[in-house]
């Protein structure tokens, strides 16, 4: 089930209007009266699209966006503003916003932005699942097999790996066969891809 879109705006009328608008096209919305409320709830929220008003007391939408980015929360964010500030627009995009909309918000532009964000979340979830699967595969390798795989990923041939590990080429081939069985591939290119994917995981 898709998590609701999170709307952070200190103006109750805007929260009500946008919630009603999005509900008519089947988009569930959870509203927050300000950044403080959102940050308090954040640990229990599932990843989803975020709609931020740019001007709010205490913590602005841009400051909230910066804080989220710094803490590793890279959810698709739509920034809305009643002022059309070009510099604020630049900052929002530099912080990773997927769109910057001026009030009164065009309903189709907002829906399009949310759909774009949901698609990006879906791709990110698929990539994350693939990374976890790769990490699990590599976790099944012995320490020696991981050494061999790391050298395969660096472009070493069997004879070079044997020299680096001070073992016979036949032993290396045996390790490579075991690695291939566990990873489901004997392709050096695919082994390299899996190694790099696992090593680059956060």
């Amino acid at each position: 089930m898709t998590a609701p879109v999170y709307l952070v705006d200190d103006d109750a009328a805007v929260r009500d209007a946008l919630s009603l608008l999005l509900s008519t096209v089947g988009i569930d919305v959870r509203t927050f009266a300000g950044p403080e409320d959102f940050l308090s709830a954040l640990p229990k929220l599932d990843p989803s699209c975020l709609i931020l008003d740019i001007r709010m007391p205490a913590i602005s939408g841009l400051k909230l966006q910066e804080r989220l980015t710094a803490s590793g929360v890279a959810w698709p964010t739509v920034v809305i503003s009643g002022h059309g500030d070009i510099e604020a627009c630049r900052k929002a995009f530099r912080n990773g916003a997927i769109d910057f909309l001026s009030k009164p918000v065009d309903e189709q532009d907002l829906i399009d932005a949310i759909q774009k964000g949901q698609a990006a979340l879906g791709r990110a979830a698929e990539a994350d699942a693939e990374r976890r699967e790769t990490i699990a595969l590599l976790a099944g390798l012995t320490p020696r097999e991981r050494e061999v795989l790391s050298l395969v990923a660096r472009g070493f041939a069997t004879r070079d790996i044997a020299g680096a590990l001070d073992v016979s080429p036949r032993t290396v081939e045996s390790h490579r066969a075991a690695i291939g069985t566990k990873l489901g591939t004997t392709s050096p290119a695919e082994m390299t891809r899996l190694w790099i994917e696992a090593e680059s995981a956060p």
Side-chain angles (χ1 to χ4, degrees):
M1 184 176 180
T2 303
V5 169
Y6 306 126
L7 169 61
V8 185
D9 196 309
D10 62 319
D11 188 328
V14 172
R15 294 197 304 273
D16 290 345
L18 292 183
S19 295
L20 178 61
L21 164 66
L22 295 174
S23 69
T24 62
V25 292
I27 298 175
D28 189 20
V29 181
R30 180 172 173 182
T31 63
F32 299 88
E36 298 89 344
D37 291 346
F38 176 77
L39 289 171
S40 295
L42 181 60
K44 296 182 180 179
L45 299 180
D46 291 324
S48 189
C49 295
L50 182 60
I51 304 171
L52 294 181
D53 182 31
I54 203 167
R55 299 206 177 193
M56 292 180 282
I59 303 173
S60 70
L62 287 180
K63 287 295 183 184
L64 175 58
Q65 191 188 16
E66 289 172 2
R67 186 177 297 187
L68 293 173
T69 300
S71 62
V73 179
W75 298 349
T77 302
V78 179
V79 176
I80 57 177
S81 170
H83 305 278
D85 185 335
I86 296 300
E87 182 54 32
C89 177
R90 289 197 188 103
K91 287 181 180 178
F93 281 117
R94 280 200 298 269
N95 289 336
I98 59 171
D99 214 335
F100 186 97
L101 304 177
S102 297
K103 295 178 181 178
V105 175
D106 180 271
E107 59 182 74
Q108 192 57 54
D109 286 346
L110 180 59
I111 292 167
D112 289 346
I114 291 170
Q115 290 174 338
K116 177 181 174 183
Q118 289 174 331
L121 273 175
R123 290 192 297 272
E126 289 174 5
D128 186 53
E130 189 173 304
R131 276 193 299 273
R132 288 199 302 270
E133 183 179 346
T134 298
I135 291 169
L137 284 174
L138 266 65
L141 301 181
T142 66
R144 178 60 94 182
E145 288 165 355
R146 288 183 68 88
E147 285 183 303
V148 171
L149 180 58
S150 71
L151 294 173
V152 170
R154 289 167 58 187
F156 282 45
T158 294
R159 190 170 297 277
D160 299 324
I161 296 172
L165 299 180
D166 195 24
V167 297
S168 71
R170 188 170 180 177
T171 298
V172 174
E173 288 296 347
S174 177
H175 286 311
R176 291 186 69 154
I179 294 167
T181 298
K182 291 177 179 180
L183 299 187
T185 180
T186 57
S187 164
E190 183 64 8
M191 287 183 178
T192 299
R193 183 189 71 79
L194 292 172
W195 176 262
I196 292 172
E197 184 173 27
E199 287 296 293
S200 63

